[in-house]
Amino acid sequence: MNRKLPGGILAAVKRPRGGARTEHLKLTREMPCERVHEPDTVVLPMSQHIGAPCKPTVKVGDHVDVGQVIGDADAFVSAPIHASVSGKVKSIGEVLTANGSRLPAVTIENDGANTLFAGIEPPKVTNREELLKAVRASGLVGLGGAGFPSHVKLGFDPAKNVDTLIINAAECEPYITVDYRECMDNTDDIITGIHLLMRLLGFKRTVIAIESDKPAAIRLLNERTRNDHNISIMALLARYPQGAEKLMVLSATGRVVPEGKLPADVGCVVMNVTSCAFVARYLATGKPLVSRSLTVSGDAIKTPKNLRAPIGISVDDLINTCGGFRVEPAKIIAGGPMMGTALYDTSVPILKSNNAILALSAEKAGLKPERACIHCGRCADVCPMHLIPTDLEKMALRGDAKALTDAGIGVCMECGSCAWSCPAGKPLVQYMRLGKQVVREAGAKK
């Protein structure tokens, strides 16, 4: 059982080990989202999710309206892509995305009318199957950054006896505050979404997990759920990476998700708080995922803000909305500073899974010079998965797939706690990735 804290808040059933004491730097915490001025064009890559990419369903010269499907796939692990502005399809061709891959993309020239697609209406949802069909049609993927299609996550096998829904509102990476703003500004949508998911998918209880350094959101959520005896608020230790899916399952239930398994295998589903709120809005309006909230922050940004922007808008447009740069940025990141992707170009478009754009000065972004390991053990102390990163580094460098497998390389979340804490400046996450590649290549040879 969870231990009650004052005010009816629950403490974690089991506190995960380790974690990094990162700076919080929540510069935009008290800033509600501002809607950006719509751009002249949007670029919509045909892969904005984990799984099979979409194929364009429109052609150059077509007129499209907001919410109209412009890309889809037959694969189960995929999600349709919708027009985020109304206007004319200007081009269809490959674009280079933030992760370095080239993907087909549809570019739409905005007509400024923001016309909603005529076929949009609230879906009829009375049972599990209709819910999953509706969630897929909405184009929803994990809005916390993972980008996993939500209809797949919610489509767990009923035989697994999944009883617990965990709403992830931890937002433990520095700078990012859009999930906090969702809790403060769209509380009713969150609660409505929880009720819908519990009723239609059969969850017996819901735990809203949020870090203890967000007292205003905790009080508000607790007040709104005071009479919902199957919904609890759980206060987590404010330490990175509390928001990781497997750690959240451990905190909320004490259950351990084994290597290679999913939370559903131990009776849980973890859903981002903004994703949950979107489900409620979609079932009420039928308007698919065409825009999202994201934090634009960092010490190089002139005026950090939380913004509501159409998907496909460029990073350039978002930075200009915030007044441009205060100082020359040394690094621009899509996502958080711990697990985000460094951008090579600010002309790249925003995807469904982008929850932040950070611009950091040389002072904040500078890497430590790599030196020899001093055997301090800090990397092992902070690893939430009980690994010894320096041992895994040596195994990776000598290409020892068996040793890497036996040592548990597969459970590494690449959270970056080890690299963050290393006084020798060793790029340990890169070594973890190298180790996983060694294991994959050994498996392919077999």
Side-chain angles (χ1 to χ4, degrees), residues 131-132 135 138 140-145 148-156 164-170 179 190 193-194 196-198 201 203 206-209 243-245 248-249 263 268-280:
L131 173 68
L132 298 179
V135 171
S138 76
L140 179 62
V141 303
L143 298 179
F148 191 74
S150 296
H151 70 282
V152 180
K153 175 177 283 193
L154 297 175
F156 53 84
T164 303
L165 173 64
I166 302 171
I167 300 299
N168 185 351
D179 286 350
I190 297 167
I194 289 171
L196 286 165
L197 294 172
M198 291 184 73
L201 297 179
F203 297 112
T206 293
V207 178
I208 304 175
E245 194 171 67
M248 197 150 276
V249 171
C268 300
V269 166
V270 182
M271 192 172 198
N272 171 262
V273 66
T274 305
S275 299
C276 177
F278 171 81
V279 170

Side-chain angles (χ1 to χ4, degrees), residues 73-94:
D74 295 330
F76 177 61
V77 184
S78 188
I81 295 167
H82 303 79
S84 56
V85 298
S86 60
K88 185 173 70 174
V89 176
K90 183 178 179 181
S91 64
I92 299 175
E94 282 193 344

Side-chain angles (χ1 to χ4, degrees), residues 289-313:
L289 183 60
V290 296
S291 65
R292 69 154 299 145
S293 300
L294 68 168
T295 298
V296 181
S297 190
D299 69 320
I301 293 290
K302 187 172 184 179
T303 309
K305 294 181 179 183
N306 288 316
L307 299 175
R308 186 76 186 182
I311 293 163
I313 192 173

Side-chain angles (χ1 to χ4, degrees), residues 221-280:
L221 290 165
N222 191 46
E223 178 62 32
R224 297 293 178 87
T225 59
R226 190 176 299 281
N227 297 321
D228 289 308
H229 302 300
N230 296 322
I231 303 177
S232 304
I233 313 301
M234 181 178 68
L236 299 170
L237 184 69
R239 182 180 295 177
Y240 178 84
Q242 290 286 338
E245 194 171 67
K246 292 185 178 182
L247 301 188
M248 197 150 276
V249 171
L250 182 66
S251 296
T253 67
R255 303 169 190 171
V256 176
V257 182
E259 180 179 352
K261 298 294 184 179
L262 298 172
D265 294 308
V266 296
C268 300
V269 166
V270 182
M271 192 172 198
N272 171 262
V273 66
T274 305
S275 299
C276 177
F278 171 81
V279 170

Side-chain angles (χ1 to χ4, degrees), residues 358-380:
L358 307 180
L360 305 179
S361 68
E363 180 185 355
K364 288 290 184 183
L367 296 174
K368 304 171 190 173
E370 185 177 356
R371 301 186 300 274
C373 175
I374 62 172
H375 306 289
C376 65
R378 292 182 193 177
C379 60

